[in-house]
Amino acid sequence: MSYSFEQQKMEKREELAGLLDALPPVEFCCAYGSAIHPNNQDKNAMVDYILGVSDPLQWHSENLEMNREHYASWMVYLGDAKLITQVANEIGVGVHFNPFVTYNDKLIKYGIVRMHDLVQDLLNWERFYLSGRLQKPVHILVDNLNIENLNSVNLKAATSAALLLLPSKFSEEDLYAKICSLSYMGDLRMLFAEDRNKVKKIVHGQFNSFQRMYKPFLDEYAAKELLIFSSTGGHQANLTQDCGLSAARALVSSLPPTVRSEMGMRLGEKRKLSETGRTIREVVVNSREEAAECMRKVVRRTVMVSSMRQAISGFLGVGGVNAIRYISKKMGKAWRSWT
């Protein structure tokens, strides 16, 4: 008897969740990356995890007792958990990664982040680091604070940002590729250490998952007459969007507060009364093209700064040998994609 999709999903979930038995408790955990794609051919690919914890200092202290070998030796000897969290917070973007961990004959990379920082990034795109990761399909294994529901704010914002950057007519695949590319705009790794076809591979490999994730927001915008669907006769639809000023203003209003604030500083703001009688600030949108370009610059700068900080933090956090090993692996993929 063939397994159903739900049975396969449950088995995969149990397999991925096995790592958590070897670590201190977490509030949130998701797995992602090419290693868990059904069509993955690279058996040496690392399985990636994000772990959300209430207190990283305490969590690292406990994990050092359980898994000291997961950390860079210089950090363990010089500063223990305090140094690990300082490097992540003060140099990086609040995430410490332990790569090249072997568990059940698989290579693992897991990153630890404070739950508060994860929530702020999802709602505000303050660093646009983990929010960008959760705009793509992930396997959520632990979710004690209902991050999956909270992430809907992040997904709606990503839909709005992508629509601003797209022309009047496009396909579903174009939309998901644009959403996927948001977190790579300005990412320094894309210049030399990432597969040039990365976005295309992510969308092609998980197209159905993207559809499930973004359907509620596309339906919402269709109900507001900002989008019109037309079937291609295949598994995806073609879309037409309203490119007028009022539509552009509606999309900008759905962007995260941090992005709108930056845009307001560049384009100007006006005050208006909300339906509840509260005074709110609104970005001045005189042209769709101007708003789209302004948003692109804001997101690009945020990603560039975060990727630079995380690259330095990651190099320190994993140690010289592992850093060179990791970068070499990435550059090998990038080289193969270019040649």
Side-chain angles (χ1 to χ4, degrees):
M1 184 180 69
S2 62
Y3 286 123
S4 69
F5 172 76
E6 286 301 323
Q7 286 173 314
Q8 292 175 0
K9 188 176 176 182
M10 185 64 69
E11 287 183 2
K12 189 67 178 177
R13 176 188 173 88
E14 290 176 359
E15 177 189 340
L16 292 170
L19 171 69
L20 299 175
D21 295 334
L23 300 172
V26 299
E27 297 292 330
F28 173 80
C29 172
C30 69
Y32 63 95
S34 61
I36 59 178
H37 292 179
N39 56 354
N40 175 56
Q41 302 298 319
D42 184 3
K43 301 305 177 186
N44 295 317
M46 279 192 289
V47 181
D48 298 283
Y49 292 83
I50 294 296
L51 309 177
V53 301
S54 57
D55 184 349
L57 179 63
Q58 180 182 343
W59 193 92
H60 285 301
S61 297
E62 294 175 17
N63 198 38
L64 281 165
E65 295 292 327
M66 299 169 65
N67 301 293
R68 203 172 184 85
E69 70 282 1
H70 291 184
Y71 295 85
S73 56
W74 79 271
M75 284 191 132
V76 172
Y77 293 128
L78 292 182
D80 282 4
K82 185 176 181 181
L83 179 61
I84 292 166
T85 53
Q86 281 181 331
V87 169
N89 293 331
E90 296 173 19
I91 297 177
V93 294
V95 190
H96 172 84
F97 282 99
N98 284 331
F100 298 108
V101 172
T102 302
Y103 181 80
N104 280 352
D105 298 324
K106 286 187 173 64
L107 275 180
I108 304 291
K109 180 181 79 176
Y110 63 90
I112 302 90
V113 63
R114 186 190 308 274
M115 287 300 300
H116 173 78
D117 295 340
L118 172 59
V119 168
Q120 287 304 308
D121 202 36
L122 292 179
L123 296 180
N124 298 317
W125 293 7
E126 288 186 352
R127 303 285 173 77
F128 206 12
Y129 190 76
L130 296 178
S131 49
R133 178 58 259 171
L134 267 71
Q135 287 166 5
K136 308 169 188 71
V138 298
H139 290 262
I140 294 180
L141 307 173
V142 177
D143 193 7
N144 294 343
L145 299 181
N146 203 8
I147 293 297
E148 185 172 19
N149 184 55
L150 186 71
N151 193 43
S152 62
V153 177
N154 179 35
L155 299 185
K156 182 176 180 179
T159 305
S160 298
L163 289 174
L164 264 180
L165 297 174
L166 284 165
S168 60
K169 296 186 177 183
F170 52 92
S171 68
E172 267 191 279
E173 187 173 322
D174 294 333
L175 173 62
Y176 303 143
K178 187 62 71 176
I179 289 171
C180 193
S181 69
L182 291 172
S183 59
Y184 296 123
M185 292 194 303
D187 191 332
L188 300 178
R189 296 172 302 171
M190 297 303 289
L191 298 177
F192 65 93
E194 286 290 1
D195 185 339
R196 64 182 295 200
N197 301 311
K198 188 180 182 78
V199 169
K200 185 184 294 185
K201 288 180 178 178
I202 290 173
V203 174
H204 279 182
Q206 303 175 89
F207 187 85
N208 292 337
S209 296
F210 273 101
Q211 280 188 315
R212 286 193 293 271
M213 286 175 70
Y214 287 96
K215 185 179 187 302
F217 312 106
L218 299 187
D219 289 344
E220 177 184 339
Y221 285 161
K224 293 178 179 178
E225 299 184 344
L226 297 177
L227 281 178
I228 299 173
F229 289 85
S230 61
S231 176
T232 63
H235 69 299
Q236 65 167 307
N238 283 333
L239 299 102
T240 302
Q241 67 168 323
D242 181 348
C243 289
L245 266 185
S246 61
R249 290 176 181 131
L251 294 177
V252 168
S253 71
S254 293
L255 296 174
T258 300
V259 176
R260 293 202 310 273
S261 177
E262 287 282 337
M263 291 178 67
M265 290 172 63
R266 298 173 187 228
L267 300 179
E269 291 181 330
K270 61 182 179 182
R271 297 179 183 273
K272 59 177 286 188
L273 285 177
S274 69
E275 294 177 356
T276 60
R278 190 165 56 92
T279 302
I280 58 174
R281 293 184 300 177
E282 189 177 77
V283 177
V284 175
V285 178
N286 292 317
S287 94
R288 181 189 179 88
E289 293 73 23
E290 182 184 49
E293 185 56 30
C294 181
M295 185 209 66
R296 187 199 304 272
K297 288 179 180 178
V298 170
V299 172
R300 182 180 175 82
R301 175 174 170 75
T302 303
V303 173
M304 185 180 294
V305 171
S306 292
S307 68
M308 188 182 301
R309 290 182 59 177
Q310 190 58 33
I312 298 169
S313 170
F315 186 86
L316 295 173
V318 304
V321 174
N322 272 340
I324 293 169
R325 183 181 174 191
Y326 183 71
I327 292 172
S328 298
K329 192 178 180 76
K330 286 283 190 181
M331 289 184 71
K333 280 187 179 180
W335 175 254
R336 287 192 295 275
S337 74
W338 281 96
T339 56

